[in-house]
Amino acid sequence: MVGGAAIGLSGAPTTAAEPTEINRCTSLTEPGEYVLVDDLDAEGDCLTLGPGVTLDGNGHAISGDGSGIGIAFDLGRDEGAVVRDLRIANFAAGASLAFADGEITLADVSITDNAVGVRGGPERRITVRNSVISGNKIGIGTTEGTRLSITETTLSGNTDAAVSTNSGHVTELKRSTVRDNGAGVATGAGTFVDNTVADNDGFGLRLIGLVAPGDLGDATVVGNAIRDNDGPGIEFASSGGDVSGNAIVGNRTGILLSGVADGFGDSTPEYEITGNDIEGNEEFGVRNASAQTAVASCNFWGDPTGPVAAETPAAAPAGDEVDGDVEFVPWSVEPVRGGDPVCFGGQAIGDFERQPTDPDGDGRYEDVDGDGDVDGDDVEAMFANRDDELIRSHPDAFDFSDDGAVDVVDVRKLFNEVSSR
């Protein structure tokens, strides 16, 4: 620590409303509000924060010489500290909770050009919000038991990984951007909602599972754009998970179930992949190399004919390829994200062999019998099967009269359309 324990304080911390001003690297051990009044340059370590300390960087920067720790935290269990509105650059670790207990909050900070942007140890709690973590070797480095929450934050240009772990930890990632890193986010389990995970040189998300509790853990991945990663968009190495409402597009493989650990104790992973747009992925939309069955129904695979797989009912499927034990029937015949799946791909009406199609792309499936033509046979099929479960389950697709119901009026409307051709 540079400067000594108390050097740099313009006055002793008090309970007064005005924060204590800081103008040099030092240790802040007394609870209270502190404000940085100048940029700081450090050789080695710079600031140490104790429990109950809130440091307002006031838009200033602390810069290192490539060694030491920008901000170290000296906290006990259930103790916390807060840093906001600060730039931290060029340290071995920008912020470190590696050798302390407790919880830290980093808000409106920029952490750049460090070996590790934020370093956390076992059972620590780290909250990052409205921040930028970029240009580091590792953006955030965690270990077993760390609980990491990231909200409305950009992690970009971190050469090894945005978030790295040497064991399972739990991550909550919401409304954030993970882009152009060596790899995306590696974690044991967690929740990932409304993020953009794109253009990373390796995986987008990698779920390695948990070990210490004897539970592989689960991940919830909802509403994300996971695009153009030069590896799996999502890899489940050990944990199970629910994946829904995402656009998983243009990755090397959309979703990889690698099956590194197919069971631990009494725990086996379960996979449910529903209501996603999975398309344009280079090798596979979903590849299941695990010993477990993956339920992957009601996804759009890039084409109404469904995914390329030996089990696909369509004669010439043109969607992304599926490999392994994946239950993908029925699939959505239209893109899903932002709406409800039109989920009857691979299913037929009545005794017909093929799914209905929408030849003119208007969202109405006039080719009721699935033979590729719209003609009198479809009128007869619609009349005879207007109470079929497939039609009743997807009324918008067969409401040709656009009156909100499926009945003989729609048969008459389809007849008139065929007759006018």
Side-chain angles (χ1 to χ4, degrees), residues 5-379:
I7 296 175
L9 306 183
S10 61
T14 69
T15 57
E18 290 298 319
T20 300
E21 295 182 349
I22 305 298
N23 57 21
R24 294 183 65 182
C25 294
T26 189
S27 290
L28 309 177
T29 57
E30 293 296 321
E33 298 273 343
Y34 298 81
V35 60
L36 201 62
V37 295
D38 202 355
D39 294 345
L40 304 181
D41 293 316
E43 295 179 0
D45 300 340
C46 188
L47 296 171
T48 299
L49 273 57
V53 169
T54 296
L55 174 64
D56 183 355
N58 198 28
H60 289 293
I62 61 174
S63 302
D65 61 356
S67 67
I69 299 171
I71 298 181
F73 295 87
D74 185 10
L75 306 174
R77 185 174 295 275
D78 298 325
E79 295 178 336
V82 177
V83 177
R84 61 175 181 258
D85 195 18
L86 179 65
R87 291 173 288 136
I88 307 171
N90 202 28
F91 290 91
S96 178
L97 190 60
F99 306 107
D101 289 317
E103 178 174 4
I104 64 171
T105 298
L106 306 172
D108 301 294
V109 300
S110 172
I111 303 177
T112 62
D113 302 312
N114 304 280
V116 179
V118 181
R119 185 169 65 194
E123 306 300 328
R124 297 357 177 205
R125 299 183 299 280
I126 300 172
T127 298
V128 182
R129 60 175 183 264
N130 301 309
S131 296
V132 174
I133 300 176
S134 67
N136 307 283
K137 186 175 181 182
I138 294 173
I140 302 176
T142 65
T143 189
E144 183 178 345
T146 303
R147 303 193 70 85
L148 175 62
S149 174
I150 305 170
T151 306
E152 296 179 346
T153 289
T154 296
L155 297 105
S156 65
N158 300 289
T159 57
D160 281 7
V163 177
S164 178
T165 184
N166 62 8
S167 188
H169 73 280
V170 178
T171 296
E172 178 185 68
L173 183 71
K174 294 184 176 181
R175 301 184 301 281
S176 294
T177 298
V178 181
R179 187 186 296 273
D180 291 319
N181 301 281
V185 175
T187 184
T191 302
F192 307 86
V193 179
D194 294 338
N195 304 289
T196 296
V197 182
D199 301 305
N200 297 288
D201 292 338
F203 56 78
L205 302 176
R206 187 168 194 259
L207 292 310
I208 70 170
L210 306 175
V211 176
D215 183 354
L216 290 171
D218 289 299
T220 300
V221 185
V222 178
N224 304 279
I226 302 176
R227 298 177 173 271
D228 302 316
N229 297 286
D230 194 20
I234 307 170
E235 179 184 0
F236 288 92
S238 297
S239 74
D242 296 330
V243 182
S244 63
N246 305 281
I248 304 171
V249 179
N251 307 283
R252 184 179 296 267
T253 291
I255 302 174
L256 172 62
L257 314 177
S258 56
V260 173
D262 283 319
F264 185 85
D266 295 329
S267 177
T268 57
E270 296 181 358
Y271 309 108
E272 186 165 354
I273 302 164
T274 59
N276 304 280
D277 292 334
I278 305 174
E279 57 183 312
N281 297 288
E282 182 180 341
E283 295 181 353
F284 299 98
V286 173
R287 181 169 187 262
N288 186 3
S290 79
Q292 311 304 319
T293 298
V295 177
S297 59
C298 294
N299 299 290
F300 180 66
W301 299 94
D303 193 273
T305 57
V308 175
E311 301 83 2
T312 303
D320 276 19
E321 187 170 354
V322 168
D323 181 62
D325 188 1
V326 180
E327 297 179 351
F328 55 80
V329 178
W331 61 83
S332 180
V333 294
E334 296 179 6
V336 177
R337 197 168 184 226
D340 294 326
V342 183
C343 186
F344 54 72
Q347 298 179 325
I349 289 173
D351 294 328
F352 297 105
E353 295 182 354
R354 299 175 182 173
Q355 70 193 44
T357 71
D358 175 17
D360 58 3
D362 66 351
R364 303 289 190 263
Y365 285 73
E366 298 94 342
D367 178 19
V368 178
D369 62 9
D371 67 355
D373 298 318
V374 179
D375 52 26
D377 291 342
D378 297 296
V379 178

